[in-house]
Amino acid sequence: MRRAATVAALLAATATASLAAGCTGGRGTGDDGRGQLRTPAESPNESAIPSASESPSATESRAAAGPVLAVKLDNARAARPHTGLNSADIVYAEQVEGGMSRLMAVYATKLPKVVGPVRSARESDLELLRQFDRPTLAFSGAQSKLMPLINEAPLVAQTPGRVSGAYYRGTGKPSPHNLYLRPNRLLAAAPGSDALTTGFHYGTAPSGGQRETSRTVRYPAASFTFTWSANRSRWLVSMDGTPTVTTDGKRVAPATVVVQYVKVRKSAFHDFLGNNTPYTETVGEGQAEVLRGGRAYDVNWSRPKATEGTEFTTGDGTPVNFAKGQVWVVFAKAS
């Protein structure tokens, strides 16, 4: 019996070490051939982490308990449908290598039991997250040269290598598109709406605007379409021409969509195929479109410093209110 217990302990330690070594980016990263960075632990040959049969239902928080949770989500076709996406207060969409897309979901008012699939971080995520007070960033890893920047940033970086018990490998999708997070292993409770220091305003719709039933944003190898549903008073999301649903079969339908035109430049990082990693600049100013209530509003955006949120205003400087509910912000390259 003593010998059996020793063997079991060694096997458990080996599995944990394998996950840690592969997901922290300490040995550098490769690429899965679709313009998405991966760590060695995200390769198809990795030993599977036991799956958890947890429903994606969420628990709400009414009192502030700390900083937000931001989760980097895989958005390749093989990674869909997502789990826990409808519980996010804000979903950011950005362009990555090869013209593809990746999502960052921000949780403050509620925490789902499971979120995923989780993937690697990018340099521009650090600038975007400065608007929050020391947020927790959940991600699968990053390039070895980027990890020091992440470790020095004013955030709490949580990878499988640091908190292996918070992550598991699902069995419904192929690796590397099957890494999932249990948020309650990182945060004791949802921090509450006070943690959303984004500068967003909520309330009555602005005057004017134009009637809009559908809006599509295109990247070189990805697209997002938002179609207004008068019955639901929400924008129905489609990605790459396919309606977006979560693993519980529910349609993703934000109350407000922001198409924010930003500068997208080359960063100092590449994937193993030589594709440059785009850097999305979210500090500065520019133009944007706000979609709410079946109408589109042309607005200005301004974020003078990384530590500040983004203000969206009309031509005369009046703050633009968003509809109450989930907000999607899609970063599009300014012409």
Side-chain angles (χ1 to χ4, degrees), residues 3-331:
R3 185 177 179 185
T6 302
V7 171
L10 288 173
L11 288 174
T14 301
T16 302
S18 175
L19 183 61
C23 291
T24 58
R27 289 183 293 171
T29 60
D31 190 276
D32 59 11
R34 292 177 288 277
Q36 303 203 27
L37 299 173
R38 64 171 172 83
T39 61
E42 292 180 305
S43 68
N45 295 325
E46 182 196 17
S47 298
I49 304 302
S51 62
S53 56
E54 295 182 272
S55 65
S57 61
T59 56
E60 297 190 18
S61 172
R62 297 181 180 178
V68 300
L69 169 66
V71 184
K72 286 308 299 284
L73 295 176
D74 192 347
N75 200 34
R77 291 176 186 267
R80 302 171 195 157
H82 296 95
T83 299
L85 186 60
N86 278 331
S87 296
D89 295 278
I90 304 168
V91 178
Y92 291 102
E94 63 178 345
Q95 182 180 325
V96 292
E97 300 82 11
M100 297 185 69
S101 65
R102 187 156 293 182
L103 306 178
M104 179 189 288
V106 178
Y107 299 87
T109 60
K110 61 182 73 172
L111 293 178
K113 289 186 177 181
V114 178
V115 177
V118 181
R119 287 300 294 270
S120 54
R122 297 294 184 276
E123 182 186 10
S124 52
D125 297 335
L126 305 183
E127 179 177 287
L128 180 61
L129 289 171
R130 285 292 305 278
Q131 64 190 302
F132 301 108
D133 181 18
R134 197 166 175 78
T136 296
L137 174 61
F139 61 109
S140 65
Q143 287 194 13
S144 57
K145 293 182 179 180
L146 177 57
M147 282 304 300
L149 299 181
I150 295 175
N151 292 332
E152 294 170 4
L155 55 79
V156 179
Q158 298 286 31
T159 64
R162 295 177 178 177
V163 283
S164 59
Y167 294 86
Y168 69 91
R169 290 281 178 185
T171 58
K173 297 184 178 74
S175 182
H177 312 292
N178 62 351
L179 181 66
Y180 292 87
L181 169 72
R182 301 180 182 93
N184 64 2
R185 303 290 179 90
L186 301 184
L187 273 66
S193 58
D194 288 347
L196 292 172
T197 53
T198 55
F200 296 170
H201 298 270
Y202 298 85
T204 305
S207 59
Q210 297 180 341
R211 185 172 180 273
E212 186 70 83
T213 58
S214 183
R215 177 72 168 86
T216 298
V217 180
R218 300 186 187 280
Y219 293 165
S223 68
F224 298 88
T225 298
F226 304 93
T227 303
W228 175 247
S229 170
N231 292 335
R232 297 189 56 183
S233 296
R234 291 290 187 270
W235 296 91
L236 304 182
V237 181
S238 296
M239 293 190 287
D240 302 329
T242 302
T244 302
V245 297
T246 52
T247 48
D248 58 3
K250 294 182 179 180
R251 191 75 183 267
V252 177
T256 306
V257 176
V258 179
V259 182
Q260 186 175 342
Y261 296 97
V262 298
K263 182 178 180 181
V264 180
R265 59 172 173 82
K266 291 183 178 181
S267 74
F269 300 93
H270 299 75
D271 63 22
F272 87 110
L273 294 174
N275 296 314
N276 184 265
T277 301
Y279 188 102
T280 300
E281 295 188 5
T282 56
V283 172
E285 58 184 20
Q287 308 297 311
E289 293 173 88
V290 173
L291 309 179
R292 64 163 292 179
R295 302 187 71 82
Y297 302 87
D298 293 326
V299 304
N300 302 314
W301 70 268
S302 176
R303 187 183 176 201
K305 298 187 298 184
T307 53
E308 298 180 354
T310 305
E311 290 281 344
F312 295 91
T313 58
T314 60
D316 62 3
T318 303
V320 174
N321 291 329
F322 295 171
K324 185 178 180 180
Q326 187 180 80
V327 177
W328 274 59
V329 179
V330 182
F331 296 118

